[in-house]
Amino acid sequence: MLTNLTIKLKDNLAIPVIGFGTWQLKGEECRRTVSDALAIGYRHIDTADRYGNHHEVAAAIKDSGVDRSELFITTKIWLDSLHHQDVLADVDRFLNELELEYIDLLLIHWPNKDVAIAETLGAIEECRKVGKVKAIGVSNFTTHHLEEALATGIEIVNNQVELHPSFNQKELRQYCDQKNISVTAYSPLRAGDMDLPIVRSLSLKYGHSPAQIILNWIVSRNMIVIPQSTDKERMKENLSVTEFVIDEADLALLDSVPQGERFNDPEFGEFDR
Ligand SMILES: NC(=O)c1ccc[n+]([C@@H]2O[C@H](COP(=O)([O-])OP(=O)(O)OC[C@H]3O[C@@H](n4cnc5c(N)ncnc54)[C@H](OP(=O)(O)O)[C@@H]3O)[C@@H](O)[C@H]2O)c1
């Protein structure tokens, strides 16, 4: 059994290591799956303005009856809304849509070289100071973007990036560790690593599914992960990966999977910076 069920981001703020992802979930399907996830025991929900599902996430939270203090809600500001006034307006709109008094973790969804990072982070920091946001993070940031962000002096506690065995972001993770920035792994399963021979063979050895082997490896390496599923059984499977231990030698085999291409590589990404 892994003991690390949360990672401390700041004083009095811990993030559950397994969250529930909601990209591409819309309308009734989103409300139903988030309701199922909360009923199964997920307490960390990952959404974004861009996903267009804040209202459905809010409805699911309301129906669940789970106390707000037990929940950890992450949302993200889209890259065309990073100027000061836009950020302030967005945060108020997000709170309204999510029917929340605060957002646990607010991320800049993608970097945007056309807006000074100090302007965006300054606006989010204002929201944090008045309690609308508990912690500030980023997503799809390279070490170069992180250096610029850290130079503002504003505390960045998380970087959410694509991460799975064949795209393990080794150098970025080392940098984040040095700077005390936690890493959240997105698209851990969608990119196709469940079919890797080593993942298949460890699945047989441990008697857990290929998805569970990948998710366990991520959490064993002290990261947060936000798998998504529309199926209750797979949701349970994904949430229960902290209940078994993979030997260090086998984790090391997963560390050394040959590296491939990123799966999420949109034109507006700034991965070359
Ligand atoms: N910050 C960003 O730019 C960014 C980008 C992408 C994603 N994200 C976040 O990360 C979350 C997760 O990433 P993702 O949605 O790309 O994909 P993912 O969670 O890696 O994979 C989801 C896919 O895997 C399947 N799946 C889930 N559990 C499984 C299991 N135990 N066994 C077999 N198949 C399983 C799902 O199918 P079923 O539904 O049929 O189970 C679905 O097709 C997103 O929802 C979003 O919240 C963030």
Side-chain angles (χ1 to χ4, degrees):
M1 181 122 155
L2 297 175
T3 50
N4 199 8
L5 301 181
T6 60
I7 287 180
K8 193 171 168 185
L9 296 182
K10 293 166 81 80
D11 289 346
N12 298 323
L13 189 68
I15 183 168
V17 293
I18 312 278
F20 186 73
T22 66
W23 179 37
Q24 293 175 331
L25 293 178
K26 299 244 189 242
E28 178 51 25
E29 185 184 44
C30 179
R31 197 205 53 76
R32 179 189 60 78
T33 50
V34 176
S35 287
D36 286 347
L38 291 168
I40 284 164
Y42 286 83
R43 292 294 177 262
H44 165 190
I45 307 293
D46 182 84
T47 178
D49 189 26
R50 190 66 171 183
Y51 302 168
N53 60 19
H54 279 166
H55 286 296
E56 289 74 17
V57 170
I61 291 173
K62 215 172 187 178
D63 290 351
S64 74
V66 177
D67 195 82
R68 174 67 182 98
S69 62
E70 288 179 37
L71 293 170
F72 191 102
I73 310 297
T74 302
T75 191
K76 317 181 189 85
I77 305 184
W78 192 240
L79 53 76
D80 64 0
S81 199
L82 298 180
H83 285 296
H84 185 266
Q85 287 307 321
D86 295 333
V87 170
L88 299 187
D90 268 8
V91 169
D92 285 342
R93 178 170 58 82
F94 296 177
L95 291 173
N96 199 19
E97 289 172 355
L98 287 163
E99 299 178 43
L100 297 176
E101 286 179 4
Y102 62 90
I103 295 159
D104 295 271
L105 177 63
L106 182 68
L107 307 181
I108 298 175
H109 203 150
W110 289 83
N112 179 347
K113 59 181 168 16
D114 296 332
V115 183
I117 188 73
E119 179 179 349
T120 310
L121 286 175
I124 304 178
E125 176 69 359
E126 280 179 34
C127 297
R128 194 195 62 77
K129 282 189 175 148
V130 296
K132 294 178 181 178
V133 168
K134 295 282 182 201
I136 304 172
V138 294
S139 178
N140 299 297
F141 272 39
T142 63
T143 52
H144 171 82
H145 295 114
L146 288 172
E147 271 166 18
E148 287 182 350
L150 292 173
T152 65
I154 293 168
E155 191 180 16
I156 309 290
V157 301
N158 182 258
N159 188 16
Q160 183 180 120
V161 293
E162 176 175 339
L163 198 148
H164 39 87
S166 72
F167 198 76
N168 66 23
Q169 303 262 27
K170 191 172 166 200
E171 278 111 46
L172 182 63
R173 277 160 59 199
Q174 279 167 352
Y175 180 84
C176 288
D177 276 354
Q178 282 164 20
K179 303 294 178 186
N180 211 12
I181 298 172
S182 62
V183 172
T184 299
Y186 78 63
S187 298
L189 307 174
R190 202 183 289 279
D193 284 3
M194 287 187 283
D195 293 326
L196 289 170
I198 181 62
V199 172
R200 292 268 161 201
S201 102
L202 293 179
S203 166
L204 290 176
K205 175 172 174 180
Y206 288 92
H208 288 280
S209 72
Q212 289 181 307
I213 297 294
I214 292 173
L215 300 177
N216 182 300
W217 167 74
I218 292 170
V219 173
S220 298
R221 290 311 190 212
N222 292 320
M223 291 180 278
I224 300 139
V225 68
I226 46 173
Q228 179 196 117
S229 178
T230 49
D231 177 89
K232 273 194 205 180
E233 288 313 307
R234 287 193 285 280
M235 285 182 200
K236 285 183 198 162
E237 200 181 304
N238 298 346
L239 188 62
S240 69
V241 299
T242 52
E243 292 169 11
F244 71 103
V245 172
I246 300 181
D247 295 341
E248 177 53 37
D250 291 329
L251 291 173
L253 291 175
L254 291 165
D255 290 335
S256 55
V257 163
Q259 296 300 286
E261 300 293 305
R262 65 175 79 242
F263 173 76
N264 295 266
D265 197 5
E267 261 176 29
F268 54 76
E270 294 182 3
F271 296 120
D272 52 345
R273 285 191 81 218

